[in-house]
Amino acid sequence: MTYDFKSLQGKLAGVGYIAEDSLAMALCLATNMHRPLLLEGEAGVGKTEVARALAQVLETRLIRLQCYEGLDANAAIYEWNYQRQLLAIRAHESEGLSGDAIERQIFSEDYLLKRPLLEAITEAASPVLLIDEIDRADEEFEAFLLEVLSDFQITVPELGTIAATAMPHVVLTSNATRALSDALRRRCLYSYVDFPTLEKETAILAARLPDADRALLGQVVGFVQALRQEDLEKKPGIAETLDWARALIGLEIGGLDRDLEALHASLICLLKTERDLKSVSIEVTSRLMGKVA
């Protein structure tokens, strides 16, 4: 099944993700061509949410591989269930089976623990494979991943080569904490995800909080947009904006100009480091409110 980008853009909006034309086109091409899509941008701009929304639109499973320093093939591809194998060996030995027969028994798919990469290529229907924060993984793992993405097959020495039953839709995300290899970038389509514009962020909140007061949501977005211009260690992302809006609704704050002290205290939903909490004083909160009013 192929998509045109306007249709895909509309379907994404239907599940609560507002995508710009460039991102919708990148997703459309990646989906139609079965090419990996690399999404780069600062933390909190909604890169991970792109994969979740795409899985909803395609009505397929989302499989996530969270990358980290030291990630190896065992954690990403497969492991043998050693405890079950040991129990099986003892049981088969008591039955008098030969060593070769026992080996054939225990090195079968019944004892294989599939990790995200192997899981993704053995799904009956094409899943969305999210390889999250690839820049946190080591360069050695990145090189290995490149080989998997090129062939969409994995070799398990005891079982042979396992080829993809259905090509997964692969989305990689990066916060650009380190440079990715040219080889990986060549293999992928690319899109840069920036913090949303005021109009887009307002549309996101309206889609996620359909019963909320529109005037309040407009004030929330205006304040967060102004806050991101401050000298912060960690700028609040879309998830933090949503959390703050929900908190204000729960506190029954009908407008940001109603209670400055309560408003300032609620900024713990947006500010996530000690330095940022100290730098955004109540005076700064008041000044930012002035930009919204």
Side-chain angles (χ1 to χ4, degrees):
M1 181 176 182
T2 59
Y3 293 87
D4 66 86
F5 92 95
K6 283 295 184 183
S7 172
L8 184 58
Q9 191 175 39
K11 289 179 180 293
L12 289 168
V15 298
Y17 192 91
I18 311 300
E20 299 93 342
D21 288 354
S22 58
L23 177 57
M25 178 60 80
L27 284 167
C28 178
L29 293 175
T31 302
N32 291 342
M33 298 167 63
H34 277 284
R35 289 281 301 277
L37 174 62
L38 172 61
L39 301 177
E40 205 163 41
E42 291 191 49
V45 296
K47 301 184 296 297
T48 299
E49 197 61 31
V50 173
R52 291 198 182 100
L54 182 62
Q56 286 183 267
V57 167
L58 300 180
E59 297 182 346
T60 191
R61 186 180 172 201
L62 173 67
I63 298 174
R64 179 179 181 180
L65 172 62
Q66 177 61 54
C67 297
Y68 53 86
E69 187 176 353
L71 176 65
D72 61 12
N74 286 342
I77 306 175
Y78 74 92
E79 291 182 277
W80 290 107
N81 191 329
Y82 297 115
Q83 291 181 329
R84 282 195 63 204
Q85 285 178 321
L86 184 58
L87 291 173
I89 289 171
R90 291 173 179 169
H92 292 318
E93 283 177 341
S94 67
E95 296 170 358
L97 291 181
S98 67
D100 288 343
I102 292 174
E103 186 175 340
R104 285 193 297 272
Q105 288 282 341
I106 65 171
F107 287 109
S108 65
E109 289 199 27
D110 291 339
Y111 298 90
L112 192 66
L113 298 175
K114 296 180 181 180
R115 301 308 183 200
L117 294 182
L118 183 57
E119 204 173 358
I121 71 167
T122 54
E123 283 284 297
S126 297
V128 172
L129 171 61
L130 169 61
I131 302 174
D132 219 0
E133 298 182 317
I134 181 61
D135 51 319
R136 291 195 175 193
D138 301 327
E139 293 179 6
E140 292 80 3
F141 179 78
E142 183 185 323
F144 171 78
L145 178 64
L146 185 64
E147 183 179 349
V148 174
L149 295 180
S150 297
D151 301 329
F152 284 103
Q153 62 182 29
I154 291 170
T155 298
V156 179
E158 298 84 356
L159 298 177
T161 299
I162 301 174
T165 52
M167 294 281 282
H169 304 286
V170 182
V171 176
L172 303 95
T173 73
S174 169
N175 295 334
T177 58
R178 71 168 177 85
L180 301 177
S181 69
D182 290 341
L184 181 64
R185 289 184 181 277
R186 282 196 301 271
R187 183 71 184 84
C188 301
L189 302 181
Y190 177 84
S191 185
Y192 185 83
V193 183
D194 206 347
F195 283 108
T197 62
L198 186 145
E199 292 77 14
K200 178 182 174 181
E201 196 159 15
T202 302
I204 292 171
L205 262 65
R208 297 296 183 87
L209 304 171
D211 297 328
D213 180 73
R214 291 296 182 270
L216 175 62
L217 296 184
Q219 288 184 325
V220 165
V221 173
F223 186 95
V224 173
Q225 294 269 329
L227 181 62
R228 290 190 185 122
Q229 304 306 311
E230 298 293 308
D231 181 22
L232 300 176
E233 284 185 334
K234 184 186 182 304
K235 296 180 181 180
I238 301 170
E240 282 83 12
T241 306
L242 282 162
D243 283 346
W244 191 44
R246 292 188 183 102
L248 295 176
I249 293 169
L251 292 170
E252 297 184 350
I253 296 178
L256 300 194
D257 56 349
R258 306 287 176 84
D259 188 336
L260 180 60
E261 289 188 0
L263 175 69
H264 180 70
S266 70
L267 294 185
I268 59 172
C269 295
L270 299 174
L271 305 173
K272 299 302 177 72
T273 71
E274 181 184 7
R275 176 184 175 276
D276 289 347
L277 281 170
K278 288 181 176 178
S279 66
V280 181
S281 63
I282 194 166
E283 290 77 19
V284 173
T285 302
S286 179
R287 171 170 58 80
L288 295 177
M289 258 309 306
K291 295 182 179 181
V292 177

